[in-house]
Amino acid sequence: MCGRYASTRSPQDLTQLFQVTDWRPEEALAPSWNVAPTDDVYAVLERADRESGEGVTRQLRTLRWGLVPSWAKDVRIGARMINARVETVHEKPAFRSAFARRRCLLPADGFYEWDPVEDKASGKVRKQPYFIHPTDGQVMALAGLYEYWRDPAIAHDDHPDAWTTTCTIITTEATDAAGRVHPRMPLALTPDHYDTWLDPAHQDTDDLRALLTQPAEGHLRARAVNTAVNSVRNNGPHLLDEPA
């Protein structure tokens, strides 16, 4: 699975990297070295602007991590839907509609996984976090889906809290460095596949699944980092330091 990641690039950098033409400065997020489920995250997507009626544009948007299906009765279900398995994403009721029409990219510096290790002094087992990232330092474009959820408790559609837009990260069996730490890992796309993946008119599920490959083509590095990342309350570049 992917339950925590780092995303520290500025929106200005991301708009250039992903050729975004539409983003809202008021949605800017602070850099985060400890992105956790239900946090707001950056997502690159393509859709028509509902307000202006203009055609499809590539946008940088802020979404809530943890997909809430349109039919869900409670937004809290999103905390259990932070990941979607590539093997079944095209057929699961919670994800299949979004997979066909609402795909996105979630920019990340890398992601965290934990490996149980025995403390030699105490004999107790503790969780050692590892930061897994491309060896060349490039941004990872994690394959994701997004969905709209209408809060039934709010009467009017135009109320600012009536709609919530949420997302999930697609995962696969882990290989390379990630496979030594955890059996699952997030999928990422290479730049030559961005256009097809983001195009909402492209709905051939077999075609789309063929785009999903190993992050960084398998060229990943896993290194032990500061155990402070174990708590979602901690944040900052020191989380990537070597363990004490």
Side-chain angles (χ1 to χ4, degrees):
M1 64 176 293
C2 176
R4 217 81 67 77
Y5 67 96
S7 180
T8 66
R9 299 294 182 106
S10 71
Q12 292 83 359
D13 285 346
L14 296 177
T15 55
Q16 291 186 342
L17 285 168
F18 292 97
Q19 299 180 331
V20 167
T21 58
D22 180 4
W23 77 283
R24 301 168 184 172
E26 67 270 20
E27 292 187 359
L29 299 172
S32 178
W33 287 263
N34 201 359
V35 179
T38 73
D39 282 353
D40 286 341
V41 299
Y42 282 131
V44 178
L45 51 88
E46 290 186 359
R47 68 183 183 193
D49 189 302
R50 294 183 176 182
E51 296 179 2
S52 68
E54 295 180 357
V56 173
T57 59
R58 184 168 296 182
Q59 306 173 22
L60 182 68
R61 288 288 174 260
T62 300
L63 312 183
R64 174 177 162 142
W65 184 19
L67 188 139
V68 181
S70 60
W71 41 261
K73 295 181 179 179
D74 193 318
V75 71
R76 288 177 294 183
I77 194 175
R80 304 198 304 271
M81 295 193 177
I82 62 171
N83 293 157
R85 296 172 69 93
V86 69
E87 297 88 348
T88 57
V89 67
H90 60 297
E91 58 189 15
K92 288 288 186 181
F95 303 124
R96 63 190 177 198
S97 178
F99 185 74
R101 301 177 181 86
R102 289 176 293 279
R103 299 175 299 277
C104 61
L105 298 171
L106 304 173
D109 305 337
F111 59 98
Y112 298 98
E113 294 294 356
W114 281 259
D115 188 30
V117 296
E118 183 178 335
D119 188 296
K120 294 180 179 178
S122 66
K124 295 181 179 180
V125 174
R126 60 180 176 83
K127 288 186 175 181
Q128 172 60 54
Y130 286 80
F131 185 59
I132 302 168
H133 60 96
T135 55
D136 60 6
Q138 295 299 307
V139 171
M140 300 179 75
L142 305 183
L145 311 175
Y146 70 96
E147 188 59 270
Y148 301 104
W149 182 74
R150 173 68 167 84
D151 188 343
I154 297 176
H156 301 290
D157 281 354
D158 57 357
H159 190 284
D161 297 326
W163 294 90
T164 302
T165 312
T166 60
C167 61
T168 190
I169 294 173
I170 299 177
T171 66
T172 188
E173 290 186 6
T175 58
D176 197 68
R180 296 195 293 272
V181 181
H182 194 275
R184 302 291 296 182
M185 68 190 296
L187 281 161
L189 272 78
T190 54
D192 56 316
H193 291 157
Y194 293 172
D195 291 349
T196 303
W197 179 253
L198 294 175
D199 182 1
H202 198 117
Q203 298 182 17
D204 185 316
T205 55
D206 289 337
D207 228 15
L208 293 165
R209 293 178 71 206
L211 301 178
L212 302 172
T213 59
Q214 296 179 40
E217 298 181 341
H219 301 299
L220 297 172
R221 179 190 177 198
R223 60 184 182 87
V225 293
N226 195 321
T227 55
V229 75
N230 293 356
S231 171
V232 297
R233 294 188 296 271
N234 297 327
N235 213 319
H238 68 284
L239 299 184
L240 299 184
D241 291 347
E242 293 183 3

